[in-house]
Every structure is written in C-alpha cells, then in structure tokens.
C-alpha cells in the first residue's frame, strides 16, 4: 500500500532563517506531487506541483521554492523565512493520470517568530 | 475556469442528527468530484469521489454524496452524526488536469 511521510511534524523558526520541509511517498512510482499551505482558519493554497523529477510548477510567487531530487521525494525550501510563512504545510500525491484523487501527508506545522 | 463553492463556513448539529454539507461547482463538462475530511492538526482524508455512473456515491465512515448535474451540486450527507465527525470538510473538483480546485471548507461542530 502507498504511504506518504512528512517531516518534521512541527517546526519553530526565527524570521530570516532557512527552511527545508521534506515529503516522501512509498509504494508508488512516478506520482504527481503537491505542496499546499493552509493558514489558520482558511482553505488550501496550492504552492507547487510536480509531475516528474526536476519538473516543478509554481502556483504562487513568494520566497518559497520546491525541488524534486528523486521520484518520490519532494522538498519545500526557503532561504529566509517571513512571518507570513507561518502555517500548516501539506504534501500530497496523486497517480500519473489526471483527474484522480489526492492522498495527503500528516502535515508540518510551521511557526515563524 | 472551474470553481467550487461551499456556502457554509460553519455547520452545527446535534449528535445523532442528520447532516448535509453543500457543495456547488462551476465547470463546463462533467467533473471529477471529491469530498475530503480534515481532523484538527491532521492531513486530509478522502471520504468519497464521483467520476461517472451512479450519481449517489457511498464513502467511508457512513457518508454519501449525490451528484446533481442540473443543480451543479455535490452535497455530502450522513444520516446520523457522531461526535467524532467534528472536523473540516472540503469539496474538490478536478476537470481532468493535475490541479484540483478546493472549496474553502466547512467546519462541522457536533453538540452532544
């Protein structure tokens, strides 16, 4: 069966510090991968998605970046965090076919102080 | 362009009462439709999905949803709500691309 992991689960970082959040998927190959952010009390905001290694599409311009160094690994990064980067970050995957359902990881709670 | 509207930000029901969460969509063809549930501090879990065929879809945890093309709706229902159903519910649409569109969510509060 397929599983999706995210770490860390919780992170407290000072403003201006770097960020690296990791997401890995097991039990499937060539998944589509997604990063979402969920601010408190608000819906999902798609940040990045990837349909293959090295292929990253950005949905929202900001100080975050994403990379996909391996087929089942998706990394969200920042060189300098802003207060507004605080939120709940969710990674998700779907199968290679378009229009299929997504499977979400447990999320990472990020607090920037 | 495609869109999903969940008109209710919060819904409060008593335990044991029936539930209906509304979802309306805008899309030029028959969409793929989904309902997800998110417990506090957790990721989203797929409850059910509609791709084609029978318009009444059964999901996990006793939930069902009905696709009504004439009303552009995909409402989620449950005949008897349990306290553990308290969560955030998201309706989503996929128009055949890699990028689904999510509604803003409905928060379900269950009173004992």
């Amino acid at each position: 069966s397929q599983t999706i992991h995210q770490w860390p689960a919780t992170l407290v970082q000072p403003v201006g510090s770097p960020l690296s959040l990791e997401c890995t998927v097991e039990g499937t190959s060539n998944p589509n991968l997604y990063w979402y952010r969920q601010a408190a009390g608000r819906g999902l905001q798609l940040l990045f998605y990837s349909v293959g290694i090295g292929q990253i599409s950005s949905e929202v311009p900001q100080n975050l970046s994403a990379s996909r160094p391996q087929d089942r690994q998706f990394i969200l990064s920042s060189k300098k965090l802003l207060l507004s980067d605080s939120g709940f970050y969710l990674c998700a995957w779907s199968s290679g076919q378009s229009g299929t359902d997504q499977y979400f990881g447990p999320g990472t709670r990020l607090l920037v102080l | 362009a495609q869109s999903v509207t969940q008109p209710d930000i919060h819904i409060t029901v008593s335990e044991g009462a029936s539930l209906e969460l509304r979802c309306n969509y805008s899309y030029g063809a028959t969409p793929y439709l989904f309902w997800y549930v998110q417990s506090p501090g957790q990721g989203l879990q797929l409850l059910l999905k509609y791709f084609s065929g029978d318009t009444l879809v059964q999901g996990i945890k006793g939930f069902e949803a009905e696709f009504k093309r004439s009303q552009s709706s995909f409402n989620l229902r449950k005949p008897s709500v349990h306290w553990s159903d308290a969560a955030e519910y998201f309706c989503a649409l996929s128009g055949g691309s890699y990028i689904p569109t999510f509604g803003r969510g409905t928060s379900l509060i269950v009173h004992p």
Side-chain angles (χ1 to χ4, degrees):
Chain A
S1 64
Q2 302 90 359
T3 56
I4 178 169
H5 304 279
Q6 286 186 248
W7 62 88
T10 306
L11 192 59
V12 181
Q13 292 285 91
V15 170
S17 64
L19 173 73
S20 181
L21 303 182
E22 189 165 341
C23 170
T24 59
V25 180
E26 297 176 354
T28 187
S29 59
N30 196 31
N32 302 319
L33 295 171
Y34 309 80
W35 277 113
Y36 290 90
R37 178 169 59 201
Q38 193 175 26
R42 303 183 67 176
L44 294 168
Q45 179 187 33
L46 179 64
L47 302 175
F48 302 94
Y49 71 96
S50 171
V51 299
I53 296 175
Q55 301 178 59
I56 308 295
S57 297
S58 174
E59 291 294 299
V60 181
Q62 57 208 325
N63 69 319
L64 299 173
S65 62
S67 61
R68 185 171 177 173
Q70 300 180 45
D71 181 45
R72 290 170 290 175
Q73 184 183 31
F74 204 25
I75 297 172
L76 182 69
S77 304
S78 174
K79 292 182 179 179
K80 289 186 177 181
L81 284 168
L82 306 173
L83 287 174
S84 58
D85 290 324
S86 293
F88 192 51
Y89 288 81
L90 288 162
C91 181
W93 73 272
S94 68
S95 73
Q97 298 174 350
S98 61
T100 56
D101 38 310
Q102 292 182 313
Y103 298 91
F104 286 80
T108 294
R109 176 79 55 194
L110 172 65
L111 178 60
V112 182
L113 300 176
Chain B
Q2 59 194 50
S3 66
V4 175
T5 301
Q6 293 181 247
D8 304 304
I9 297 176
H10 302 284
I11 289 283
T12 301
V13 298
S14 298
E15 191 170 15
S18 63
L19 170 70
E20 182 169 31
L21 301 181
R22 296 184 291 166
C23 173
N24 294 100
Y25 70 88
S26 175
Y27 185 64
T30 301
Y32 302 130
L33 293 163
F34 310 87
W35 274 101
Y36 293 86
V37 61
Q38 184 183 29
S39 297
Q42 305 291 320
L44 278 69
Q45 180 184 22
L46 181 68
L47 281 176
L48 48 79
K49 58 188 176 184
Y50 171 78
F51 282 1
S52 64
D54 193 347
T55 57
L56 185 62
V57 180
Q58 301 298 319
I60 62 172
K61 304 185 180 186
F63 286 92
E64 67 177 26
E66 186 170 12
F67 171 63
K68 293 186 177 180
R69 184 191 306 276
S70 61
Q71 299 178 19
S72 297
S73 69
F74 188 56
N75 294 349
L76 182 70
R77 302 193 294 245
K78 186 170 185 178
S80 178
V81 170
H82 187 263
W83 64 266
S84 60
D85 293 324
E88 191 84 14
Y89 291 81
F90 293 93
C91 182
L93 173 157
S94 176
S97 74
Y98 297 110
I99 310 302
T101 299
F102 283 84
R104 64 181 178 180
T106 297
S107 179
L108 174 64
I109 302 165
V110 180
H111 281 313

PDB file of all heavy atoms in Angstrom, chain B residues 47-71:
ATOM      1  N   LEU B  47     -12.990  11.037   1.556  1.00  0.00           N
ATOM      2  CA  LEU B  47     -14.223  10.390   2.004  1.00  0.00           C
ATOM      3  C   LEU B  47     -14.890   9.623   0.869  1.00  0.00           C
ATOM      4  O   LEU B  47     -15.348   8.499   1.050  1.00  0.00           O
ATOM      5  CB  LEU B  47     -15.210  11.437   2.516  1.00  0.00           C
ATOM      6  CG  LEU B  47     -14.998  12.000   3.919  1.00  0.00           C
ATOM      7  CD1 LEU B  47     -16.027  13.091   4.191  1.00  0.00           C
ATOM      8  CD2 LEU B  47     -15.068  10.913   4.969  1.00  0.00           C
ATOM      9  N   LEU B  48     -14.990  10.260  -0.278  1.00  0.00           N
ATOM     10  CA  LEU B  48     -15.645   9.646  -1.427  1.00  0.00           C
ATOM     11  C   LEU B  48     -15.325  10.450  -2.677  1.00  0.00           C
ATOM     12  O   LEU B  48     -14.816  11.572  -2.585  1.00  0.00           O
ATOM     13  CB  LEU B  48     -17.165   9.551  -1.222  1.00  0.00           C
ATOM     14  CG  LEU B  48     -17.897  10.788  -0.726  1.00  0.00           C
ATOM     15  CD1 LEU B  48     -18.149  11.787  -1.826  1.00  0.00           C
ATOM     16  CD2 LEU B  48     -19.216  10.395  -0.056  1.00  0.00           C
ATOM     17  N   LYS B  49     -15.652   9.861  -3.816  1.00  0.00           N
ATOM     18  CA  LYS B  49     -15.382  10.520  -5.081  1.00  0.00           C
ATOM     19  C   LYS B  49     -16.419  10.107  -6.118  1.00  0.00           C
ATOM     20  O   LYS B  49     -16.990   9.025  -6.054  1.00  0.00           O
ATOM     21  CB  LYS B  49     -13.981  10.181  -5.587  1.00  0.00           C
ATOM     22  CG  LYS B  49     -13.742   8.687  -5.787  1.00  0.00           C
ATOM     23  CD  LYS B  49     -12.275   8.414  -6.108  1.00  0.00           C
ATOM     24  CE  LYS B  49     -12.028   6.912  -6.215  1.00  0.00           C
ATOM     25  NZ  LYS B  49     -10.570   6.620  -6.427  1.00  0.00           N
ATOM     26  N   TYR B  50     -16.669  11.008  -7.051  1.00  0.00           N
ATOM     27  CA  TYR B  50     -17.560  10.742  -8.166  1.00  0.00           C
ATOM     28  C   TYR B  50     -16.793  10.970  -9.456  1.00  0.00           C
ATOM     29  O   TYR B  50     -16.244  12.044  -9.682  1.00  0.00           O
ATOM     30  CB  TYR B  50     -18.782  11.669  -8.125  1.00  0.00           C
ATOM     31  CG  TYR B  50     -19.614  11.558  -9.379  1.00  0.00           C
ATOM     32  CD1 TYR B  50     -20.478  10.489  -9.564  1.00  0.00           C
ATOM     33  CD2 TYR B  50     -19.511  12.517 -10.393  1.00  0.00           C
ATOM     34  CE1 TYR B  50     -21.218  10.376 -10.718  1.00  0.00           C
ATOM     35  CE2 TYR B  50     -20.248  12.407 -11.553  1.00  0.00           C
ATOM     36  CZ  TYR B  50     -21.107  11.328 -11.721  1.00  0.00           C
ATOM     37  OH  TYR B  50     -21.828  11.215 -12.866  1.00  0.00           O
ATOM     38  N   PHE B  51     -16.789   9.937 -10.292  1.00  0.00           N
ATOM     39  CA  PHE B  51     -16.172  10.065 -11.609  1.00  0.00           C
ATOM     40  C   PHE B  51     -17.233   9.961 -12.699  1.00  0.00           C
ATOM     41  O   PHE B  51     -17.242  10.744 -13.632  1.00  0.00           O
ATOM     42  CB  PHE B  51     -15.112   8.981 -11.819  1.00  0.00           C
ATOM     43  CG  PHE B  51     -13.799   9.266 -11.121  1.00  0.00           C
ATOM     44  CD1 PHE B  51     -13.620  10.404 -10.356  1.00  0.00           C
ATOM     45  CD2 PHE B  51     -12.734   8.387 -11.226  1.00  0.00           C
ATOM     46  CE1 PHE B  51     -12.432  10.673  -9.717  1.00  0.00           C
ATOM     47  CE2 PHE B  51     -11.524   8.649 -10.591  1.00  0.00           C
ATOM     48  CZ  PHE B  51     -11.361   9.787  -9.836  1.00  0.00           C
ATOM     49  N   SER B  52     -18.108   8.971 -12.584  1.00  0.00           N
ATOM     50  CA  SER B  52     -19.155   8.761 -13.580  1.00  0.00           C
ATOM     51  C   SER B  52     -20.092   7.700 -13.022  1.00  0.00           C
ATOM     52  O   SER B  52     -19.867   7.147 -11.952  1.00  0.00           O
ATOM     53  CB  SER B  52     -18.577   8.311 -14.927  1.00  0.00           C
ATOM     54  OG  SER B  52     -17.954   7.051 -14.787  1.00  0.00           O
ATOM     55  N   GLY B  53     -21.176   7.442 -13.752  1.00  0.00           N
ATOM     56  CA  GLY B  53     -22.075   6.364 -13.365  1.00  0.00           C
ATOM     57  C   GLY B  53     -23.091   6.799 -12.334  1.00  0.00           C
ATOM     58  O   GLY B  53     -23.645   7.906 -12.411  1.00  0.00           O
ATOM     59  N   ASP B  54     -23.339   5.944 -11.379  1.00  0.00           N
ATOM     60  CA  ASP B  54     -24.357   6.186 -10.367  1.00  0.00           C
ATOM     61  C   ASP B  54     -24.112   7.531  -9.678  1.00  0.00           C
ATOM     62  O   ASP B  54     -23.010   7.791  -9.181  1.00  0.00           O
ATOM     63  CB  ASP B  54     -24.337   5.063  -9.333  1.00  0.00           C
ATOM     64  CG  ASP B  54     -25.562   5.081  -8.417  1.00  0.00           C
ATOM     65  OD1 ASP B  54     -26.283   6.098  -8.416  1.00  0.00           O
ATOM     66  OD2 ASP B  54     -25.784   4.087  -7.711  1.00  0.00           O
ATOM     67  N   THR B  55     -25.116   8.356  -9.635  1.00  0.00           N
ATOM     68  CA  THR B  55     -24.941   9.707  -9.079  1.00  0.00           C
ATOM     69  C   THR B  55     -24.945   9.735  -7.561  1.00  0.00           C
ATOM     70  O   THR B  55     -24.617  10.759  -6.973  1.00  0.00           O
ATOM     71  CB  THR B  55     -26.036  10.642  -9.605  1.00  0.00           C
ATOM     72  OG1 THR B  55     -27.319  10.093  -9.284  1.00  0.00           O
ATOM     73  CG2 THR B  55     -25.924  10.806 -11.128  1.00  0.00           C
ATOM     74  N   LEU B  56     -25.333   8.657  -6.930  1.00  0.00           N
ATOM     75  CA  LEU B  56     -25.279   8.550  -5.473  1.00  0.00           C
ATOM     76  C   LEU B  56     -24.046   7.730  -5.124  1.00  0.00           C
ATOM     77  O   LEU B  56     -23.954   6.557  -5.467  1.00  0.00           O
ATOM     78  CB  LEU B  56     -26.542   7.905  -4.911  1.00  0.00           C
ATOM     79  CG  LEU B  56     -26.646   7.849  -3.387  1.00  0.00           C
ATOM     80  CD1 LEU B  56     -26.657   9.263  -2.797  1.00  0.00           C
ATOM     81  CD2 LEU B  56     -27.899   7.090  -2.968  1.00  0.00           C
ATOM     82  N   VAL B  57     -23.121   8.363  -4.433  1.00  0.00           N
ATOM     83  CA  VAL B  57     -21.831   7.749  -4.159  1.00  0.00           C
ATOM     84  C   VAL B  57     -21.711   7.457  -2.669  1.00  0.00           C
ATOM     85  O   VAL B  57     -21.985   8.334  -1.842  1.00  0.00           O
ATOM     86  CB  VAL B  57     -20.688   8.691  -4.584  1.00  0.00           C
ATOM     87  CG1 VAL B  57     -19.338   8.042  -4.304  1.00  0.00           C
ATOM     88  CG2 VAL B  57     -20.796   9.048  -6.058  1.00  0.00           C
ATOM     89  N   GLN B  58     -21.307   6.256  -2.357  1.00  0.00           N
ATOM     90  CA  GLN B  58     -21.086   5.877  -0.958  1.00  0.00           C
ATOM     91  C   GLN B  58     -19.615   6.028  -0.619  1.00  0.00           C
ATOM     92  O   GLN B  58     -18.737   5.739  -1.438  1.00  0.00           O
ATOM     93  CB  GLN B  58     -21.519   4.434  -0.734  1.00  0.00           C
ATOM     94  CG  GLN B  58     -22.982   4.157  -1.063  1.00  0.00           C
ATOM     95  CD  GLN B  58     -23.940   4.952  -0.191  1.00  0.00           C
ATOM     96  OE1 GLN B  58     -23.721   5.103   1.012  1.00  0.00           O
ATOM     97  NE2 GLN B  58     -25.004   5.481  -0.797  1.00  0.00           N
ATOM     98  N   GLY B  59     -19.356   6.480   0.586  1.00  0.00           N
ATOM     99  CA  GLY B  59     -17.990   6.655   1.017  1.00  0.00           C
ATOM    100  C   GLY B  59     -17.712   5.968   2.335  1.00  0.00           C
ATOM    101  O   GLY B  59     -18.483   5.156   2.811  1.00  0.00           O
ATOM    102  N   ILE B  60     -16.586   6.348   2.914  1.00  0.00           N
ATOM    103  CA  ILE B  60     -16.214   5.773   4.199  1.00  0.00           C
ATOM    104  C   ILE B  60     -16.938   6.492   5.331  1.00  0.00           C
ATOM    105  O   ILE B  60     -17.507   7.579   5.130  1.00  0.00           O
ATOM    106  CB  ILE B  60     -14.690   5.843   4.410  1.00  0.00           C
ATOM    107  CG1 ILE B  60     -14.222   7.295   4.439  1.00  0.00           C
ATOM    108  CG2 ILE B  60     -13.967   5.057   3.322  1.00  0.00           C
ATOM    109  CD1 ILE B  60     -12.764   7.460   4.840  1.00  0.00           C
ATOM    110  N   LYS B  61     -16.930   5.893   6.495  1.00  0.00           N
ATOM    111  CA  LYS B  61     -17.480   6.476   7.723  1.00  0.00           C
ATOM    112  C   LYS B  61     -18.973   6.784   7.614  1.00  0.00           C
ATOM    113  O   LYS B  61     -19.481   7.644   8.338  1.00  0.00           O
ATOM    114  CB  LYS B  61     -16.721   7.752   8.110  1.00  0.00           C
ATOM    115  CG  LYS B  61     -15.229   7.555   8.278  1.00  0.00           C
ATOM    116  CD  LYS B  61     -14.547   8.828   8.769  1.00  0.00           C
ATOM    117  CE  LYS B  61     -13.058   8.598   8.927  1.00  0.00           C
ATOM    118  NZ  LYS B  61     -12.363   9.741   9.540  1.00  0.00           N
ATOM    119  N   GLY B  62     -19.681   6.082   6.736  1.00  0.00           N
ATOM    120  CA  GLY B  62     -21.124   6.254   6.630  1.00  0.00           C
ATOM    121  C   GLY B  62     -21.585   7.463   5.833  1.00  0.00           C
ATOM    122  O   GLY B  62     -22.763   7.804   5.839  1.00  0.00           O
ATOM    123  N   PHE B  63     -20.685   8.122   5.144  1.00  0.00           N
ATOM    124  CA  PHE B  63     -21.033   9.290   4.334  1.00  0.00           C
ATOM    125  C   PHE B  63     -21.454   8.884   2.931  1.00  0.00           C
ATOM    126  O   PHE B  63     -21.020   7.867   2.399  1.00  0.00           O
ATOM    127  CB  PHE B  63     -19.846  10.254   4.235  1.00  0.00           C
ATOM    128  CG  PHE B  63     -19.594  11.033   5.494  1.00  0.00           C
ATOM    129  CD1 PHE B  63     -18.712  10.566   6.449  1.00  0.00           C
ATOM    130  CD2 PHE B  63     -20.249  12.240   5.712  1.00  0.00           C
ATOM    131  CE1 PHE B  63     -18.482  11.286   7.620  1.00  0.00           C
ATOM    132  CE2 PHE B  63     -20.024  12.971   6.862  1.00  0.00           C
ATOM    133  CZ  PHE B  63     -19.142  12.485   7.821  1.00  0.00           C
ATOM    134  N   GLU B  64     -22.286   9.714   2.337  1.00  0.00           N
ATOM    135  CA  GLU B  64     -22.669   9.572   0.953  1.00  0.00           C
ATOM    136  C   GLU B  64     -22.798  10.964   0.329  1.00  0.00           C
ATOM    137  O   GLU B  64     -22.918  11.965   1.047  1.00  0.00           O
ATOM    138  CB  GLU B  64     -24.000   8.811   0.797  1.00  0.00           C
ATOM    139  CG  GLU B  64     -25.201   9.542   1.330  1.00  0.00           C
ATOM    140  CD  GLU B  64     -26.504   8.775   1.097  1.00  0.00           C
ATOM    141  OE1 GLU B  64     -26.464   7.532   0.979  1.00  0.00           O
ATOM    142  OE2 GLU B  64     -27.561   9.435   1.044  1.00  0.00           O
ATOM    143  N   ALA B  65     -22.744  11.011  -0.972  1.00  0.00           N
ATOM    144  CA  ALA B  65     -22.914  12.285  -1.677  1.00  0.00           C
ATOM    145  C   ALA B  65     -23.673  12.022  -2.967  1.00  0.00           C
ATOM    146  O   ALA B  65     -23.577  10.949  -3.557  1.00  0.00           O
ATOM    147  CB  ALA B  65     -21.570  12.930  -1.985  1.00  0.00           C
ATOM    148  N   GLU B  66     -24.422  13.023  -3.380  1.00  0.00           N
ATOM    149  CA  GLU B  66     -25.214  12.896  -4.591  1.00  0.00           C
ATOM    150  C   GLU B  66     -24.829  13.954  -5.593  1.00  0.00           C
ATOM    151  O   GLU B  66     -24.837  15.150  -5.287  1.00  0.00           O
ATOM    152  CB  GLU B  66     -26.703  13.009  -4.287  1.00  0.00           C
ATOM    153  CG  GLU B  66     -27.589  12.727  -5.513  1.00  0.00           C
ATOM    154  CD  GLU B  66     -29.050  12.605  -5.150  1.00  0.00           C
ATOM    155  OE1 GLU B  66     -29.433  12.951  -4.019  1.00  0.00           O
ATOM    156  OE2 GLU B  66     -29.816  12.165  -6.037  1.00  0.00           O
ATOM    157  N   PHE B  67     -24.485  13.528  -6.781  1.00  0.00           N
ATOM    158  CA  PHE B  67     -24.155  14.417  -7.871  1.00  0.00           C
ATOM    159  C   PHE B  67     -25.440  14.807  -8.599  1.00  0.00           C
ATOM    160  O   PHE B  67     -26.177  13.939  -9.070  1.00  0.00           O
ATOM    161  CB  PHE B  67     -23.187  13.730  -8.840  1.00  0.00           C
ATOM    162  CG  PHE B  67     -22.940  14.490 -10.123  1.00  0.00           C
ATOM    163  CD1 PHE B  67     -22.353  15.737 -10.083  1.00  0.00           C
ATOM    164  CD2 PHE B  67     -23.299  13.952 -11.353  1.00  0.00           C
ATOM    165  CE1 PHE B  67     -22.112  16.444 -11.252  1.00  0.00           C
ATOM    166  CE2 PHE B  67     -23.063  14.648 -12.537  1.00  0.00           C
ATOM    167  CZ  PHE B  67     -22.468  15.895 -12.474  1.00  0.00           C
ATOM    168  N   LYS B  68     -25.706  16.108  -8.654  1.00  0.00           N
ATOM    169  CA  LYS B  68     -26.871  16.610  -9.369  1.00  0.00           C
ATOM    170  C   LYS B  68     -26.389  17.585 -10.439  1.00  0.00           C
ATOM    171  O   LYS B  68     -26.089  18.750 -10.158  1.00  0.00           O
ATOM    172  CB  LYS B  68     -27.846  17.287  -8.411  1.00  0.00           C
ATOM    173  CG  LYS B  68     -28.505  16.324  -7.435  1.00  0.00           C
ATOM    174  CD  LYS B  68     -29.572  17.024  -6.592  1.00  0.00           C
ATOM    175  CE  LYS B  68     -30.277  16.037  -5.669  1.00  0.00           C
ATOM    176  NZ  LYS B  68     -31.320  16.695  -4.847  1.00  0.00           N
ATOM    177  N   ARG B  69     -26.389  17.105 -11.662  1.00  0.00           N
ATOM    178  CA  ARG B  69     -25.865  17.912 -12.768  1.00  0.00           C
ATOM    179  C   ARG B  69     -26.712  19.169 -12.967  1.00  0.00           C
ATOM    180  O   ARG B  69     -26.185  20.256 -13.199  1.00  0.00           O
ATOM    181  CB  ARG B  69     -25.859  17.091 -14.057  1.00  0.00           C
ATOM    182  CG  ARG B  69     -25.249  17.811 -15.244  1.00  0.00           C
ATOM    183  CD  ARG B  69     -25.534  17.035 -16.533  1.00  0.00           C
ATOM    184  NE  ARG B  69     -25.105  15.648 -16.428  1.00  0.00           N
ATOM    185  CZ  ARG B  69     -23.870  15.228 -16.654  1.00  0.00           C
ATOM    186  NH1 ARG B  69     -22.950  16.105 -17.025  1.00  0.00           N
ATOM    187  NH2 ARG B  69     -23.559  13.960 -16.553  1.00  0.00           N
ATOM    188  N   SER B  70     -28.017  19.038 -12.841  1.00  0.00           N
ATOM    189  CA  SER B  70     -28.912  20.169 -13.106  1.00  0.00           C
ATOM    190  C   SER B  70     -28.713  21.294 -12.101  1.00  0.00           C
ATOM    191  O   SER B  70     -28.970  22.461 -12.408  1.00  0.00           O
ATOM    192  CB  SER B  70     -30.371  19.706 -13.072  1.00  0.00           C
ATOM    193  OG  SER B  70     -30.696  19.185 -11.804  1.00  0.00           O
ATOM    194  N   GLN B  71     -28.244  20.945 -10.916  1.00  0.00           N
ATOM    195  CA  GLN B  71     -28.025  21.952  -9.873  1.00  0.00           C
ATOM    196  C   GLN B  71     -26.543  22.253  -9.667  1.00  0.00           C
ATOM    197  O   GLN B  71     -26.199  23.048  -8.796  1.00  0.00           O
ATOM    198  CB  GLN B  71     -28.644  21.475  -8.555  1.00  0.00           C
ATOM    199  CG  GLN B  71     -30.146  21.265  -8.636  1.00  0.00           C
ATOM    200  CD  GLN B  71     -30.740  20.747  -7.335  1.00  0.00           C
ATOM    201  OE1 GLN B  71     -30.144  20.860  -6.272  1.00  0.00           O
ATOM    202  NE2 GLN B  71     -31.922  20.140  -7.412  1.00  0.00           N
TER     203      GLN B  71
END
